[in-house]
Each structure stands twice: as C-alpha cells, then as structure tokens.
Amino acid sequence: MAQRREGDDRRQRGRREGRLRPQLIEQRALDFIGDHAAEPFLLFLTPTVPHAPSDIPDVGAYASRTWTQQNKGHAAQITYFDTLVGKVTDRLRALGIAENTVVLVTSDNGPHEEGGVNPDLFDANGPLRGYKRNLYEGGIRVPLIAWSPGRIGAGTSSRPTPLTDVLPTLAELGGAPAPTDVDGLSAAPLLAGSANAARHNHLYWFRDERGVTSRANAQDGGRATWLAEAVRKDDWKAVRFAPVRDHALPDVQWQVELYDLASDLGEQRDVAAANPSVVTGLVALMRSSWADTYVRKPFGVRTQIQGPAVPGQAFTVTATLGNGSGKPWTGALLALRAPVG
C-alpha cells in the first residue's frame, strides 16, 4: 500500500506540474532502476513516443525548421525517446550495473502518418515498402538494438528476430525456465556472438484492421481495410488479401503477391505468376500457422479457494505449480500471504 500511495502522489504531482505522460513514465523508470539496483529486475519501459498526436512541450532544435508543427513534434518525440534511452544507460553505468544488464530497444511497427505526420519527410522506412498497418516490410520490420557492455559485441545480424523471441531470450539470459508452448526462440546465443542461435522455419503475420491512412492504403492498392496475412520463409515473402472479412475464405479467392527479398527488399516486383509452386507452399504455411483456439500448457502457480474466505473461519487454498517449461524444477517454494484476520 505504501508503494501505491507513493505512485499516486507522483501522478498527482505530474498533473499539477503539467508534465507530459512520457516524462512521468521516465521518472518512474529511473526511480525503479535505482530502487532495485541491488537485486535482479525486469524493467518494461514503454514511453508511448513517437505517437500521434505529436504533442511535446518543446520542439527544441526543430523550432526553426520550415516543417509543419506536427512534423516538428514528431521529430522532437523521437529525439526525446533517444535521450531517454541515454538516461537509462547512464543510470545503469552510474549504479555500476551496466555490465550485468541487457538493454533491448525496439518498436511495435513501422512509421506512422497519423495526426498529419509525413513519414516520407524523414525517410522513415528507408528502402522498405509500407507503413504502420501494412504487412510489407516497411510496416513490420523494425530495429532491435541490444546493448550490454562487455557482454554484447558491436555488429549486426541478418537473423529475422520476431518480438516473440524476447521472452525466451530474457529467460535464458536470466537462468529462468521459459514456456515451451510459445512461438519464440531464444536469441541469447546471438547476443553472445554465436551464429548458432535457432532460426524460425517461417514467420507469420495476420491483420484485421478497419482503420486506414492514405499512404498505407496506397501501398496496399486500396486494400488497407481488407483481411490480410503474410508469411516469410528464408528470402521468400508472400502477402495476400481477402476481399471479405472471412479468414475461412477459399484460397482461390484471396489475392496473393510474392516477393524475393534477396533481390527485391523493397517488394516492388510481384513474382507470384512465375513461381506458382512457391506460392502454393507459402499459402499452405499461412493456413497451418492459423489457429482458432490455443490452449496453453499450465505454467507457474494457480490457486483455488474452496468456500468463502470469511475472517475467523477456516478455508482451504489449493495451489498448483505447473511446469510448462522443458526443464525439471527443483526446490520450488510457495508462500501464501493474506491480510491479518
């Protein structure tokens, strides 16, 4: 309760001082690092920038640009985010725990154009085709930067790494078991400089989006509100669109495109007609990647109370420890905490 009151106080101070929400998140994050520097911790930091609306108290170095106010705000948001990453790494160094910490920096999608932002002004997707909500590479391929002094060397990797890999990667780095029924594969060996990190057989995406923006819609050929899915296997990338909102639509009624990313990273040349067997195989992968239901393996502690928990009366709590990982657990310890009385 003391922590909750402290957090409430901080939020109230932020409202009174008129600070931007990411600034409040920043302060909580830096305080969290300091509070837990002497023990293992996981900080999931999501500062909500850059994002529409492009609000920020000060556009800083961009004030004199001839850009629109939205573009100035967008650029300032990105600069704010970069500065925040620097503050996090500076705090880790100051506390002497940088060498024992792994920092991952990434994004959830490609460049957006909401609120009047022009992503082309910043060449935000480089040679890639597409924007936020597109299933072309510009919409789904984002940077993943890993930093840990003395642990992660300089360099880049061509291994396609979906964000589903983050959970098993962090679990391996922390010496913790990871669930076996998730799609992610640990990239921890890759961070250690090994080329032997497991690679995915294929990657799959699905989109059911009713929102639309002009640039994204143009890239989709006017199909931005259609059902869409994509799959990548090696250097082959297939994207297909359904004219009605029904995933069970027969394959022949979908519109399929095929691209060779090795020679056409910008997905400008649809080679589906010249490679029918490749299209057939990738469409089959799309179908097999879809699941209407997904029953998870039990993982962690589940509790059940028999009878009402009435003060002064006995009741039974049953705790079940489910090991959904691939390794045996030893020395498991369960503790039950309840209010006095």
Side-chain angles (χ1 to χ4, degrees), residues 202 283-291:
H202 65 281
V283 167
L285 275 181
M286 293 183 192
R287 283 295 185 196
S288 65
S289 298
W290 177 269

Side-chain angles (χ1 to χ4, degrees), residues 2-20:
Q3 290 180 340
R4 179 175 298 177
R5 285 196 296 270
E6 179 184 0
D8 291 341
D9 291 343
R10 285 174 178 165
R11 283 188 287 273
Q12 291 296 335
R13 288 199 303 270
R15 293 190 186 101
R16 290 194 299 268
E17 297 166 8
R19 287 187 291 174
L20 195 68

Side-chain angles (χ1 to χ4, degrees), residues 110-133:
H112 78 81
E113 55 178 324
E114 280 85 356
V117 170
N118 177 7
D120 299 330
L121 174 67
F122 306 101
D123 191 25
N125 48 11
L128 304 180
R129 173 183 177 181
Y131 308 89
K132 177 180 179 179
R133 296 187 179 87

Side-chain angles (χ1 to χ4, degrees), residues 323-334:
N323 178 8
S325 74
K327 300 179 180 180
W329 293 0
T330 59
L333 177 65
L334 299 178

